[in-house]
Amino acid sequence: GQNIASVVRNSAGVYTVTFATPMPSDNYSIVATQGSPASYGRSAVTGSPSANGFTVYTYDDAQNSTDRPFSFAVFATNAEPPKGTTGADAWVNFYGTRLAADPNQNPVVGQPVQIASSYNVDEVIYSGIGSYSIKYTNSLQTNNYAISGTATKTLDSQAYPRFIAAANRDAATATGCQIYVANDAGEYEDCNMVSFVVHASNAQLPNTVTQEQIEAAINNPGLSAWGTGNADGNL
């Protein structure tokens, strides 16, 4: 792990992750997965984010809280390098159930939802139940990029994992993409905490770099935190 002080197992399938160096705020993007040789991989649920850490919930195939190994990556504003980008091309953490203009109002089709924090994401438009249109601040160099993400029904409860998927190849362009959030039953569903990350070719460092760029890469490794935990809670 990097920048992880501890991973503590609180009970079956419930772990507390604590950062060695706190994040600037509780608005950051988390991508988490769980898996084991005896079951299919799936998203791990994350909740209770704070500047000091967050909670991970893992489940078996019957959706029972069960110890499972898991991995995660955290993206926050302090991961941004001084020049260019050495990590993700775009990332965002947004409230899929809150209208940007009024956090107390449910999302409206065609209107932006509230963004908690982001990098290179201009806005997120609500397109319908469980459907969101992402618009990048700066266009990517290609429409061939990888999208990964996780979603949780609520911020602080042990909700079952929700899954994020890109709509289709044509919906991923250099200027934005369309994503869907669904539950285990395959039903589209609005979620309060949605995080996703985009990796494209322009995140690569150049073959020839200056001393300033080398120092920037050393000081800013791209991720704010990363780790992998055993099912018994050990980092």
Side-chain angles (χ1 to χ4, degrees):
Q2 174 185 299
N3 195 29
I4 304 300
S6 64
V7 175
V8 176
R9 179 184 179 276
N10 303 316
S11 60
V14 181
Y15 308 86
T16 296
V17 177
T18 302
F19 300 126
T21 301
M23 299 295 110
S25 70
D26 60 357
N27 290 326
Y28 46 80
S29 178
I30 310 170
V31 176
T33 57
Q34 68 172 66
S36 72
S39 66
Y40 298 115
R42 62 169 62 196
S43 298
V45 173
T46 61
S48 305
S50 72
N52 295 315
F54 58 94
T55 304
V56 175
Y57 305 97
T58 58
Y59 299 88
D60 61 18
D61 290 342
Q63 297 184 340
N64 300 310
S65 294
T66 308
D67 293 337
R68 285 288 187 268
F70 59 91
S71 298
F72 60 86
V74 174
F75 295 83
T77 53
N78 61 340
E80 295 178 10
K83 299 175 65 175
T85 174
T86 59
D89 291 78
W91 61 262
V92 65
N93 176 273
F94 65 88
Y95 301 96
T97 57
R98 302 184 190 179
L99 191 65
D102 184 355
N104 297 316
Q105 184 178 349
N106 293 329
V108 177
V109 174
Q111 296 297 312
V113 296
Q114 184 180 2
I115 292 177
S117 59
S118 66
Y119 170 69
N120 197 29
V121 173
D122 182 53
E123 62 180 359
V124 178
I125 302 296
Y126 183 73
S127 303
I129 297 177
S131 178
Y132 305 93
S133 177
I134 315 298
K135 294 184 178 181
Y136 305 129
T137 304
N138 298 308
S139 298
L140 306 183
Q141 294 180 347
T142 176
N143 61 351
N144 293 320
Y145 47 82
I147 300 173
S148 59
T150 54
T152 305
K153 183 66 176 179
T154 59
L155 288 176
D156 301 307
S157 69
Q158 297 185 36
Y160 295 135
R162 267 61 180 177
F163 302 92
I164 291 179
N168 55 59
R169 293 291 303 170
D170 295 334
T173 69
T175 58
C177 66
Q178 186 82 19
I179 64 171
Y180 290 104
V181 178
N183 57 27
D184 285 347
E187 301 165 332
Y188 293 152
E189 187 174 40
D190 294 341
C191 282
N192 194 29
M193 182 179 179
V194 183
S195 296
F196 90 100
V197 181
V198 172
H199 291 272
S201 58
N202 60 335
Q204 298 175 357
L205 286 172
N207 294 327
T208 302
V209 297
T210 65
Q211 183 62 33
E212 180 184 10
Q213 291 172 320
I214 293 174
E215 292 175 355
I218 293 174
N219 294 328
N220 295 274
L223 291 180
S224 298
W226 66 266
T228 181
N230 294 325
D232 60 6
N234 290 323
L235 183 66

